[in-house]
Amino acid sequence: MGTVFVSGALPGGVTAWLAGRHDVVQHDGGVATEAFSEVAPRLEGLVSLLTDRVDAALLARAPRLRVVGNVAVGVDNIDLDACRARGVVVTNTPDVLTEVTADLAFALLLGAARRVGEGDRTVRAGAFGGWTPSYMLGARVHGATLGVLGLGRIGRAVARRARGFSMNVLYTQKRRAPETVEQELSARFVDLAELLGQSDFVSVHCPLSPETRHLLDRERIASMRRGAVLVNTARGRIVDEAALADALATGHLAAAGLDVFEDEPRVHPALLSSPGALMTPHIGSADRHTREAMARLAAENVDLVLSGNPPKTPV
Ligand code: GLV
């Protein structure tokens, strides 16, 4: 039994489950609330959302904190070094969201390539003037080259989908994947420059870290193939949004499929007015079963640590 702050309404009765085991305080406003400040001095567990900043200042206010269960696979909202220094265990929610996030990445890839958002807006506006041979031509997906930036769990699931579309798959990351994985996915390891220069589609699946912040900067975006499509379902800050908007405006990139943004929930105004940008509001893992599984896993991790056991999915 410890005091646990739950930062937001969790689906699937997870908060009630946790409240059966611990003294739970839940507040929808997250860690930036009075409710959190009030409970912080006696806090032992935190179920955090990706919108919560868990940094050294927060840890200093919660000196008894032992575990942070983030309801996300990404942990860029958490200062891992500061947690380590204080002996605070951090957990995330891998695996349970892999396939649904890959589904959304592929939906954005297809939708951006084939101008689905633009087409929908055109029809709704009553601006569909009838079929003509060169009306609203898009980019061909079947047989094209996909560059996967980060062949982790989600990157692999996207590569697997790409095989069903007869795509040629390239990937890059720090360390080469095992040969068995490369063979299963028919994926070829290349460096970032080659991936950007060769790919018709680039899909981002690496974590956000100081190393990957603006990994796709203005220069690298300029080095992508003319007419290429960029898909980002990882974290907005991996891509220089202003440079991306410029590349769409000049036609250097044909389209972009974006589920994440640099400064959420704000979206760069130039993207909002870009017909080639197909955008969703950070819903990569948003189906009911997945969100329940994520919440349950985060709560179980917190409960395990508070009862002296190793968590299921430590970072
Ligand atoms: C969502 O963005 C996550 O990291 O789970």
Side-chain angles (χ1 to χ4, degrees):
M1 195 83 176
T3 302
V4 177
F5 186 81
V6 175
S7 183
L10 302 179
V14 173
T15 307
W17 176 83
L18 202 56
R21 300 170 129 73
H22 302 278
D23 175 14
V24 168
V25 177
Q26 190 232 293
H27 198 285
D28 291 353
V31 299
T33 54
E34 270 302 309
F36 179 82
S37 298
E38 195 272 315
V39 83
R42 60 178 197 282
L43 200 63
E44 288 176 68
L46 170 61
V47 178
S48 58
L49 306 186
L50 58 85
T51 45
D52 292 318
R53 179 97 212 107
V54 180
D55 55 13
L58 179 143
L59 297 178
R61 290 158 61 208
R64 301 181 61 193
L65 188 63
R66 289 160 59 197
V67 55
V68 178
N70 208 36
V71 187
V73 67
V75 287
D76 48 281
N77 57 311
I78 299 175
D79 184 335
L80 296 179
D81 291 337
C83 286
R84 209 170 295 122
R86 282 184 172 264
V88 175
V89 176
V90 177
T91 70
N92 66 344
T93 61
D95 300 316
V96 293
L97 48 64
T98 299
E99 299 299 333
V100 288
T101 307
D103 285 343
L104 187 78
F106 227 83
L108 288 172
L109 185 155
L110 287 166
R114 298 302 304 274
R115 303 172 70 169
V116 170
E118 200 183 344
D120 179 76
R121 288 190 298 276
T122 303
V123 173
R124 286 175 197 276
F128 174 36
W131 193 93
T132 64
S134 33
Y135 180 56
M136 224 179 247
L137 307 183
R140 180 193 267 226
V141 173
H142 172 90
T145 295
L146 169 67
V148 178
L149 222 166
L151 199 68
R153 298 179 190 83
I154 299 170
R156 289 177 196 189
V158 168
R160 218 167 284 127
R161 283 156 179 72
R163 291 197 60 195
F165 285 79
S166 306
M167 296 180 92
N168 170 36
V169 178
L170 308 177
Y171 78 96
T172 195
Q173 60 185 7
K174 259 195 263 170
R175 271 183 302 278
R176 192 169 171 171
E179 215 176 303
T180 48
V181 171
E182 290 188 348
Q183 277 166 3
E184 185 220 333
L185 302 173
S186 303
R188 188 160 69 83
F189 181 61
V190 293
D191 65 22
L192 180 58
E194 185 173 350
L195 181 131
L196 297 176
Q198 299 288 318
S199 299
D200 304 300
F201 295 85
V202 172
S203 194
V204 181
H205 299 292
C206 57
L208 172 64
S209 68
E211 278 177 325
T212 61
R213 187 169 190 283
H214 279 192
L215 182 64
L216 296 187
D217 60 9
R218 191 167 289 276
E219 203 179 317
R220 291 210 174 99
I221 290 172
S223 75
M224 289 173 68
R225 274 192 169 176
R226 188 169 178 79
V229 174
L230 178 67
V231 177
N232 189 4
T233 51
R235 285 293 182 267
R237 288 181 187 163
I238 299 168
V239 178
D240 179 340
E241 219 164 64
L244 171 63
D246 287 347
L248 290 167
T250 62
H252 180 68
L253 294 189
L258 307 171
D259 186 47
V260 288
F261 304 92
E262 272 203 75
D263 190 20
E264 294 177 11
R266 178 188 169 272
V267 177
H268 196 291
L271 286 178
L272 294 177
S273 56
S274 167
L278 176 63
M279 297 177 282
T280 47
H282 204 148
I283 54 169
S285 62
D287 79 23
R288 190 166 52 81
H289 293 290
T290 303
R291 287 287 167 83
E292 285 185 15
M294 290 165 68
R296 199 169 310 116
L297 182 54
E300 283 172 2
N301 278 325
V302 167
D303 177 55
L304 281 166
V305 172
L306 293 187
S307 44
N309 297 297
K312 287 185 174 172
T313 50
V315 171

